[in-house]
Amino acid sequence: MPNAAEVLLNSLGSTARGWRGTRVLTRQSTQPDKPLKLYDIEACPYCRLVREVLTELDLDVMILPCPKGGTRYRAEAQAIGGKQQFPLLVDDNTGTVMYESAAIIDYLAKTYRGRSRGANRWLRPVSEMSSSLASAFRLRPTGISGMRVRASTPPAGPLELFSFESSPYSMAVRARLCELELPYLLRNTGKGGWKDIGPPSFRDKLFKGPMDTTRNRAWLAEHTGRVQLPYLIDPNTGTQMYESADIIRYLDKTYAN
Ligand SMILES: N[C@@H](CCC(=O)N[C@@H](CS)C(=O)NCC(=O)O)C(=O)O
């Protein structure tokens, strides 16, 4: 278990956002041939709004972390888009390079034909305010979690993380991946039905629902026999693991300097 205060604060942040980025709201989204790329800061309120929609549209995305003080992907983002502003979306399927979270959200919903509450323009000021409040809940004694770089050794290739945006446990792992500037394929694993609600320990005892309600849940059920988030795959070391606290320890041990 990660620190209980960490989980509580992350849950308060997700509550501020009305738990957006929990459920998959479409069954029709088309997975792009080439992975979408998002230059992202985990603690950035605008990046969060985009990631929520990616969960709701059930789209995977390559996250290229650009924490404050980071050196690994910031220059690349600047070379591609002309400035260091995040989120920055790159979609090689359509030749799109795009700043501005509201534009990115519209683009994703239109291009991948999904339904997402995040695309509602009338709610935009509320979204910005509540997402900033959610970022405030990331404040820790050491600084804002998922905002500033920590020294690390780059991996040979990207990692993979199964997660959904509002998950308080996954959030702690994503924050560390961002701080360590570790690129990862974010495999969005939103909930598909009401029987997916609640932590696995409670859910699995209370109701025996099907585990394969969404695309990546089906993958986890088939390959690991359970569905719990986060789940990390590190192809660089042949590591696969559940449990956020263990994952964070693993990332620190393997990559932090
Ligand atoms: N209106 C933009 C605002 C984006 C923005 O201000 N992002 C901040 C991070 S929260 C940023 O890029 N800061 C520059 C930096 O971190 O270097 C949007 O919605 O995408």
Side-chain angles (χ1 to χ4, degrees):
M1 266 283 275
N3 182 321
E6 170 79 19
V7 172
L8 175 67
L9 288 168
N10 287 346
S11 300
L12 288 172
S14 288
T15 303
R17 285 294 304 135
W19 293 87
R20 296 277 161 87
T22 300
R23 283 193 56 202
V24 172
L25 298 180
T26 179
R27 289 302 162 86
Q28 298 163 10
S29 80
T30 316
Q31 284 303 307
D33 290 337
K34 298 179 199 153
L36 300 170
K37 288 186 241 169
L38 189 68
Y39 292 83
D40 166 270
I41 306 173
E42 173 62 27
C44 162
Y46 304 100
C47 297
R48 180 183 181 125
L49 295 176
V50 171
R51 294 192 311 263
E52 285 175 359
V53 168
L54 288 164
T55 293
E56 294 177 354
L57 296 179
D58 198 22
L59 290 170
D60 295 342
V61 61
M62 185 64 73
I63 298 283
L64 302 161
C66 297
K68 298 253 182 224
T71 52
R72 214 161 282 160
Y73 295 108
R74 279 190 165 244
E76 189 178 300
Q78 173 134 21
I80 292 171
K83 56 183 172 181
Q84 293 191 19
Q85 178 180 300
F86 309 101
L88 166 65
L89 178 82
V90 176
D91 185 349
D92 289 329
N93 302 282
T94 59
T96 300
V97 173
M98 194 176 259
Y99 287 107
E100 291 301 328
S101 52
I104 295 172
I105 288 168
D106 274 357
Y107 167 82
L108 289 170
K110 280 192 192 112
T111 310
Y112 296 103
R113 294 195 304 276
R115 199 164 65 83
S116 167
R117 285 179 293 178
N120 186 330
R121 280 175 181 275
W122 297 104
L123 291 177
R124 179 72 195 178
V126 180
S127 298
E128 285 188 12
M129 269 190 301
S130 54
S131 196
S132 300
L133 179 59
S135 289
F137 282 115
R138 292 178 187 260
L139 190 59
R140 307 285 179 271
T142 48
I144 299 174
S145 157
M147 181 61 96
R148 280 211 70 82
V149 72
R150 291 180 191 230
S152 71
T153 305
L159 287 69
E160 255 181 73
L161 185 75
F162 289 74
S163 150
F164 61 90
E165 182 54 31
S166 64
S167 157
Y169 298 95
S170 304
M171 212 171 278
V173 171
R174 294 198 312 263
R176 188 63 108 247
L177 286 164
C178 180
E179 291 162 359
L180 295 172
E181 295 182 278
L182 302 176
Y184 61 101
L185 180 64
L186 176 61
R187 295 195 56 175
N188 271 309
T189 312
K191 295 176 187 288
W194 68 269
K195 285 191 175 173
D196 293 336
I197 303 296
S201 49
F202 147 95
R203 173 198 72 198
D204 294 346
K205 272 191 207 105
L206 218 64
F207 24 74
K208 297 260 171 285
M211 289 196 291
D212 55 351
T213 57
T214 55
R215 189 174 50 89
N216 283 333
R217 281 173 190 261
W219 192 97
L220 283 177
E222 187 188 337
H223 291 85
T224 75
R226 60 202 264 227
V227 175
Q228 180 181 305
L229 290 314
Y231 180 68
L232 179 84
I233 301 179
D234 186 351
N236 303 296
T237 60
T239 302
Q240 313 197 349
M241 63 203 299
Y242 280 112
E243 291 300 334
S244 55
D246 294 342
I247 296 173
I248 291 170
R249 256 191 301 277
Y250 165 79
L251 294 175
D252 283 347
K253 199 171 101 213
T254 313
Y255 295 110
N257 291 337

